[in-house]
Amino acid sequence: MTEASKPVLTGGCQCGAIRYALMSAPTRVSICHCRMCQKASGAPFASFADVNRENFAWTRGTPGTFRSSSIADRYFCPACGTPLGFGGIDGPRIEIMTGTFDRPDRVVPTRQFGSESRLGWVVAIANLPSQTTQQNYGPDKMARIVSHQHPDHD
Protein backbone atom coordinates (compact mmCIF):
# COMPACT_ATOMS: atom_id res chain seq x y z
CA MET A 1 0.00 0.00 0.00
CA THR A 2 1.42 3.35 -0.96
CA GLU A 3 1.27 6.55 1.05
CA ALA A 4 -0.43 8.34 -1.88
CA SER A 5 -3.29 5.84 -2.08
CA LYS A 6 -6.65 6.92 -0.77
CA PRO A 7 -8.35 4.32 1.43
CA VAL A 8 -11.54 2.72 0.17
CA LEU A 9 -12.56 1.71 3.70
CA THR A 10 -11.21 2.46 7.16
CA GLY A 11 -11.89 1.21 10.64
CA GLY A 12 -10.47 0.34 14.01
CA CYS A 13 -11.03 -0.82 17.54
CA GLN A 14 -13.39 0.61 20.14
CA CYS A 15 -10.78 2.72 21.93
CA GLY A 16 -8.99 3.98 18.79
CA ALA A 17 -5.57 2.54 19.64
CA ILE A 18 -5.69 0.39 16.49
CA ARG A 19 -6.77 1.76 13.11
CA TYR A 20 -6.57 0.26 9.63
CA ALA A 21 -7.24 1.07 5.98
CA LEU A 22 -8.21 -0.96 2.92
CA MET A 23 -6.99 0.34 -0.43
CA SER A 24 -9.38 -1.88 -2.40
CA ALA A 25 -12.84 -3.25 -1.82
CA PRO A 26 -13.01 -6.62 -0.06
CA THR A 27 -13.06 -9.62 -2.38
CA ARG A 28 -15.62 -11.40 -0.22
CA VAL A 29 -17.78 -10.52 2.78
CA SER A 30 -19.11 -13.44 4.75
CA ILE A 31 -20.62 -14.62 7.99
CA CYS A 32 -19.05 -17.50 9.88
CA HIS A 33 -20.99 -19.54 12.42
CA CYS A 34 -18.15 -21.93 13.36
CA ARG A 35 -17.46 -22.46 17.04
CA MET A 36 -14.01 -20.85 16.79
CA CYS A 37 -15.52 -17.64 15.36
CA GLN A 38 -18.25 -17.67 17.99
CA LYS A 39 -15.65 -17.73 20.74
CA ALA A 40 -13.30 -15.25 19.03
CA SER A 41 -16.10 -12.70 18.57
CA GLY A 42 -18.03 -13.45 21.76
CA ALA A 43 -21.13 -13.53 19.57
CA PRO A 44 -23.37 -16.11 17.87
CA PHE A 45 -21.50 -15.52 14.59
CA ALA A 46 -18.76 -13.35 13.11
CA SER A 47 -18.79 -11.33 9.91
CA PHE A 48 -15.61 -10.79 7.91
CA ALA A 49 -14.40 -8.77 4.92
CA ASP A 50 -11.63 -10.59 3.05
CA VAL A 51 -8.86 -8.48 1.47
CA ASN A 52 -5.37 -9.06 0.05
CA ARG A 53 -2.73 -8.03 2.58
CA GLU A 54 -1.06 -5.90 -0.09
CA ASN A 55 -4.21 -3.74 -0.08
CA PHE A 56 -4.43 -3.50 3.70
CA ALA A 57 -2.46 -1.59 6.35
CA TRP A 58 -2.58 -1.10 10.09
CA THR A 59 -2.42 2.70 10.21
CA ARG A 60 -2.26 3.19 13.99
CA GLY A 61 -0.95 0.84 16.62
CA THR A 62 -0.04 -2.81 16.46
CA PRO A 63 -2.72 -5.40 17.11
CA GLY A 64 -2.22 -8.25 19.50
CA THR A 65 -2.32 -11.73 18.04
CA PHE A 66 -3.55 -15.10 19.19
CA ARG A 67 -2.73 -18.22 17.21
CA SER A 68 -6.20 -19.75 17.38
CA SER A 69 -5.27 -22.78 15.28
CA SER A 70 -2.39 -24.30 13.38
CA ILE A 71 -3.36 -22.24 10.32
CA ALA A 72 -4.53 -18.82 11.56
CA ASP A 73 -3.78 -15.86 13.80
CA ARG A 74 -6.55 -13.76 15.35
CA TYR A 75 -6.01 -10.01 15.71
CA PHE A 76 -7.34 -7.86 18.57
CA CYS A 77 -6.70 -4.57 20.29
CA PRO A 78 -4.42 -5.14 23.30
CA ALA A 79 -5.85 -2.02 25.01
CA CYS A 80 -9.63 -2.54 24.75
CA GLY A 81 -9.92 -6.15 23.56
CA THR A 82 -11.87 -5.47 20.37
CA PRO A 83 -11.59 -8.49 18.04
CA LEU A 84 -10.35 -7.18 14.68
CA GLY A 85 -9.98 -10.17 12.40
CA PHE A 86 -7.83 -13.08 11.42
CA GLY A 87 -5.46 -14.24 8.74
CA GLY A 88 -3.78 -17.39 7.61
CA ILE A 89 -0.27 -17.72 9.02
CA ASP A 90 1.97 -16.04 6.44
CA GLY A 91 -1.01 -16.06 4.05
CA PRO A 92 -1.73 -13.45 1.38
CA ARG A 93 -5.11 -12.44 2.79
CA ILE A 94 -6.54 -10.93 5.95
CA GLU A 95 -10.16 -11.01 7.09
CA ILE A 96 -11.38 -7.99 9.03
CA MET A 97 -14.44 -8.07 11.27
CA THR A 98 -17.12 -6.00 9.57
CA GLY A 99 -18.35 -4.41 12.80
CA THR A 100 -15.01 -2.63 13.17
CA PHE A 101 -15.34 -0.69 9.90
CA ASP A 102 -16.18 3.00 10.20
CA ARG A 103 -19.01 2.32 7.74
CA PRO A 104 -20.07 -1.29 8.37
CA ASP A 105 -23.12 -0.69 6.16
CA ARG A 106 -20.75 -0.75 3.16
CA VAL A 107 -19.58 -4.33 3.75
CA VAL A 108 -22.59 -6.56 3.16
CA PRO A 109 -22.24 -10.34 3.62
CA THR A 110 -23.02 -12.50 0.62
CA ARG A 111 -22.14 -15.96 2.01
CA GLN A 112 -22.25 -17.99 5.22
CA PHE A 113 -19.81 -20.59 6.47
CA GLY A 114 -19.62 -22.90 9.50
CA SER A 115 -23.33 -23.65 9.29
CA GLU A 116 -22.83 -26.83 11.33
CA SER A 117 -22.50 -24.57 14.38
CA ARG A 118 -25.19 -22.05 13.49
CA LEU A 119 -27.44 -21.51 16.50
CA GLY A 120 -31.04 -22.40 15.73
CA TRP A 121 -32.46 -19.08 16.90
CA VAL A 122 -30.23 -16.96 14.64
CA VAL A 123 -32.52 -17.34 11.62
CA ALA A 124 -35.43 -15.74 13.50
CA ILE A 125 -33.70 -12.67 15.00
CA ALA A 126 -35.03 -10.30 12.32
CA ASN A 127 -38.55 -11.06 13.53
CA LEU A 128 -37.91 -10.32 17.21
CA PRO A 129 -39.41 -7.14 18.68
CA SER A 130 -36.90 -4.30 18.48
CA GLN A 131 -36.23 -0.81 19.84
CA THR A 132 -33.71 1.89 19.16
CA THR A 133 -31.12 2.57 21.85
CA GLN A 134 -33.00 5.80 22.68
CA GLN A 135 -36.24 3.86 23.12
CA ASN A 136 -34.53 1.26 25.29
CA TYR A 137 -32.76 3.66 27.68
CA GLY A 138 -34.93 6.77 27.41
CA PRO A 139 -33.75 10.35 26.87
CA ASP A 140 -32.76 11.02 30.50
CA LYS A 141 -30.37 8.07 30.71
CA MET A 142 -29.05 8.73 27.20
CA ALA A 143 -28.23 12.31 28.20
CA ARG A 144 -26.10 11.04 31.14
CA ILE A 145 -24.07 8.50 29.14
CA VAL A 146 -20.51 9.56 28.36
CA SER A 147 -19.02 7.42 25.60
CA HIS A 148 -15.32 6.60 25.68
CA GLN A 149 -15.52 4.97 22.27
CA HIS A 150 -13.37 6.30 19.44
CA PRO A 151 -15.47 8.01 16.73
CA ASP A 152 -15.91 6.24 13.40
CA HIS A 153 -13.28 8.41 11.71
CA ASP A 154 -9.84 9.84 12.33
Side-chain angles (χ1 to χ4, degrees):
M1 191 164 87
T2 66
E3 293 276 331
S5 301
K6 182 176 174 161
V8 172
L9 293 164
T10 57
C13 68
Q14 191 170 23
C15 74
I18 306 292
R19 297 286 296 161
Y20 61 80
L22 279 68
M23 303 320 274
S24 68
T27 57
R28 177 180 72 190
V29 181
S30 61
I31 290 171
C32 186
H33 298 275
C34 83
R35 189 66 184 124
M36 191 173 291
C37 284
Q38 289 172 348
K39 291 190 90 160
S41 66
F45 56 85
S47 180
F48 296 101
D50 191 339
V51 66
N52 286 325
R53 286 184 193 265
E54 65 193 24
N55 296 320
F56 175 86
W58 300 108
T59 58
R60 181 185 310 142
T62 302
T65 59
F66 171 68
R67 185 145 297 168
S68 60
S69 71
S70 60
I71 63 168
D73 287 324
R74 300 275 173 167
Y75 305 105
F76 62 92
C77 174
C80 68
T82 301
L84 296 165
F86 80 96
I89 299 167
D90 298 323
R93 308 187 66 66
I94 187 168
E95 298 201 33
I96 299 299
M97 298 195 78
T98 60
T100 67
F101 282 96
D102 293 337
R103 292 291 311 268
D105 58 317
R106 293 186 179 171
V107 283
V108 180
T110 58
R111 298 201 55 166
Q112 295 184 70
F113 298 100
S115 57
E116 73 282 355
S117 298
R118 183 174 43 224
L119 300 173
W121 55 263
V122 168
V123 295
I125 61 176
N127 297 321
L128 293 174
S130 66
Q131 296 180 317
T132 66
T133 306
Q134 175 86 10
Q135 290 168 328
N136 183 41
Y137 286 141
D140 291 339
K141 185 171 184 178
M142 288 295 293
R144 293 189 314 268
I145 295 172
V146 177
S147 175
H148 301 288
Q149 183 166 297
H150 185 271
D152 286 335
H153 58 80
D154 280 330

